[in-house]
Amino acid sequence: MSSNLPAGWPEGAGRVVLDETPSTMAEAAARAPETAAPLWIVARRQTAGRGRRGRAWADPPGNLAATLLMPAPALTQAALHSFVAALALHDACVEVTGRTDPFALKWPNDVLLGGRKLAGILLETVQPAHLAIGIGVNLAHAPERGALEPGAIPPVSLAEGLGLFVTAEAFLTPLARAFDRRARALATYGFGPIRAAWLERAARRGEVVTARSAGGVVTGSFEDVDDSGRLILMTARGRQAIAAADVFFAEGADHAAGG
């Protein structure tokens, strides 16, 4: 285990590097009672990672498996940290690659490279009063496509997509720095600037998408994200606001970004 902080690490945040753990989210939950300041937990190998809705998340060696454990913000602000994390991921991708054009953000919490899924984010509240933000990035390897659910966006790794090889620890520093900057902006200026920056990087804005949740399926044109972070679709029944869902793109489209 390592807690030495590299140059450029955000002030006030801690870092723990584990050789192996079942899940950085589970590790964060175990450390929550004794953690007061923001703490980044990264594993060189994660054996039982998970994504949204309890899905398995594959983490071959070389990919980033990390969780930020932080004091929980106000309930109305917690979900907005998904947008903070997405923007921070986008910022880190741009910093390590020197490119902006291939990256886009997919509501609610994915980062795309050339239209394929590069990274995902998972938010969970942790007792006694913490928020855990799990982040997985396909740096070296992408999951097998056969393991995907029907209609899911194909995955890609940074190595495959751009021919760049970046270690998890090298990626974590710009990510932590960007998250700190974006989180401070949210606390100071509110969600407006974060929302605007996210929409500038949004994939498929103005195009028809499908949102699937336990409450049903909604298809419409992706218009906006509202002040609560809800996806706004223009449908045959008018504008609908969606708080939580998996979003699927129309088959055959292959855009890196929209809007």
Side-chain angles (χ1 to χ4, degrees):
M1 181 178 72
S2 169
S3 58
N4 295 328
L5 301 181
W9 190 259
E11 184 177 355
R15 186 188 78 146
V16 172
V17 180
L18 304 172
D19 287 330
E20 181 175 307
T21 188
S23 163
T24 59
M25 292 291 278
E27 184 72 24
R31 291 173 179 265
E34 57 189 38
T35 302
L39 176 67
W40 284 91
I41 302 167
V42 61
R44 295 190 176 98
R45 184 169 184 266
Q46 183 175 246
T47 59
R50 56 190 171 84
R52 295 180 69 239
R53 306 185 192 278
R55 301 187 186 104
W57 179 274
D59 280 308
N63 288 352
L64 175 72
T67 293
L68 170 60
L69 178 67
M70 60 181 287
L75 186 61
T76 56
Q77 295 284 302
L80 303 182
H81 280 73
S82 176
F83 295 88
V84 170
L87 281 171
L89 267 172
H90 191 283
D91 292 343
C93 287
V94 171
E95 181 173 338
V96 302
T97 66
R99 296 180 59 181
T100 60
D101 55 294
F103 300 106
L105 302 177
K106 174 177 172 286
W107 189 92
N109 50 18
D110 291 341
V111 179
L112 307 182
L113 166 58
R116 294 191 285 170
K117 182 171 177 175
L118 176 70
I121 300 164
L122 175 66
L123 270 68
E124 288 185 353
T125 55
V126 178
Q127 297 301 324
H130 291 78
L131 178 67
I133 305 175
I135 296 175
V137 184
N138 301 326
L139 294 175
H141 308 281
E144 295 292 334
R145 298 193 183 193
L148 303 178
E149 64 178 300
I153 293 178
V156 68
S157 69
L158 197 64
E160 175 192 356
L162 294 180
L164 295 175
F165 297 88
V166 180
T167 68
E169 290 175 54
F171 189 90
L172 183 65
T173 297
L175 172 60
R177 188 168 54 238
F179 186 95
D180 180 72
R181 182 176 65 251
R182 295 288 187 179
R184 290 179 187 276
L186 175 64
T188 302
Y189 304 109
F191 185 52
I194 294 293
R195 171 181 168 272
W198 190 95
L199 285 169
E200 287 176 359
R201 297 156 176 78
R204 307 298 179 88
R205 191 177 183 193
E207 298 184 21
V208 174
V209 302
T210 297
R212 299 177 186 170
S213 68
V217 177
V218 178
T219 297
S221 176
F222 167 25
E223 279 199 343
D224 205 349
V225 168
D226 71 9
D227 292 340
S228 301
R230 297 180 299 177
L231 178 69
I232 305 299
L233 298 184
M234 177 57 73
T235 74
R237 297 182 178 181
R239 296 175 90 239
Q240 294 196 38
I242 298 167
D246 290 323
V247 171
F248 296 83
F249 297 154
E251 293 185 7
D254 188 23
H255 306 296

